[in-house]
Amino acid sequence: LNELVRQGVAGRFADRIEVDYVFQKLDDLPEGFSIPEGRQKPWGTAHAVAACAHVVDGPFGVANGDDLYGNPSMRLLADGLSAREDVGVLVGFPLAATLSLHGGVSRGICRVVDGWLESVVETHGLVATSEGDVADDGGGHYGPDATASMNLWGLPAVAAQRMADGFARFLAEGPGPTDEYLLPTEVAHMMADGLAIAVVTSTGRWMGLTHREDLAELRAALTDVG
């Protein structure tokens, strides 16, 4: 699989950009730690970023590998990374544009003050209501234009090493067999230490797959794009 990834990326981009390959591994652990008994699940999104720390030498973007964000969103990310190297950027989406017609979804609901991120709260069971707003499984309600994080981040170079260092802290806490070292949690730690995150809302179309029934709609959307 790793070789197929290399061939696929090399075939599309190698003549335009320099490409480095880093693969997240379960046994990629700091000295003094070993894989806990029964652990099979990957360590999570922050660990994936930490695995790249040795090749990151400037501001960088992070995106979910199984989501499509659209060209406008990626342009916002690139512009945000170019603006200030010491400040992060989160490309958000209107919450209503990220929902499924086939059941509840989990999204990171953002609190934004004057264009800066205050917090991201992972919220579950989100569905559109007949009143035009969005409800979660705990009785909360949100406006359709509330900012949702879909894990499209721009971060300063130091963030990758910060996550590599923080992974040892996560392991020292004795995570269970399915606990994950997650990107939004680590970004929150860095924000508490002073990292500012600007928030920009994309007009691009986010596409992803949550429920099996979403597949037909996703296929139709990809046909329209391509």
Side-chain angles (χ1 to χ4, degrees):
L1 177 59
N2 290 352
E3 185 57 35
L4 290 175
V5 171
R6 288 189 179 94
Q7 292 174 3
V9 174
R12 296 184 61 188
F13 302 114
D15 61 339
R16 287 175 282 173
I17 61 174
E18 181 179 344
V19 179
D20 285 312
Y21 302 90
V22 179
F23 295 94
Q24 185 181 16
K25 298 178 181 179
L26 193 61
D27 61 357
D28 182 12
L29 302 173
E31 185 176 353
F33 293 95
S34 58
I35 301 173
E37 184 177 354
R39 180 82 193 196
Q40 296 182 339
K41 187 179 182 67
W43 288 112
T45 48
H47 179 249
V49 175
C52 301
H54 65 288
V55 298
V56 170
D57 59 2
F60 63 97
V62 184
N64 286 346
D66 55 355
D67 290 355
L68 294 174
Y69 298 96
N71 288 340
S73 305
M74 303 310 289
R75 173 53 59 188
L76 285 172
L77 177 63
D79 290 345
L81 287 170
S82 300
R84 283 183 59 182
E85 293 191 356
D86 60 334
V87 169
V89 60
L90 171 65
V91 180
F93 294 82
L95 177 58
T98 72
L99 302 179
S100 170
L101 297 174
H102 306 290
V105 298
S106 295
R107 299 288 182 255
I109 304 297
C110 301
R111 174 174 166 76
V112 183
V113 177
D114 297 331
W116 297 96
L117 184 64
E118 290 286 315
S119 64
V120 181
V121 178
E122 187 69 14
T123 309
H124 307 287
L126 291 160
V127 294
T129 72
S130 58
E131 289 76 27
D133 64 356
V134 179
D136 64 28
D137 59 6
H141 287 261
Y142 312 87
D145 293 326
T147 302
S149 168
M150 305 305 293
N151 258 1
L152 184 56
W153 300 88
L155 296 169
V158 67
Q161 187 58 54
R162 285 284 301 273
M163 291 185 197
D165 296 339
F167 186 44
R169 181 191 66 242
F170 169 82
L171 293 172
E173 294 171 353
T178 60
D179 291 335
E180 294 182 82
Y181 182 52
L182 295 175
L183 181 61
T185 302
E186 289 310 298
V187 170
H189 282 306
M190 287 186 283
M191 289 173 59
D193 288 340
L195 175 65
I197 305 284
V199 179
V200 291
T201 301
S202 178
T203 60
R205 183 178 183 182
W206 171 86
M207 290 184 283
L209 185 65
T210 302
H211 302 285
R212 182 184 298 272
E213 294 82 1
D214 295 330
L215 184 57
E217 181 182 359
L218 180 59
R219 282 175 171 165
L222 290 172
T223 299
D224 291 340
V225 170

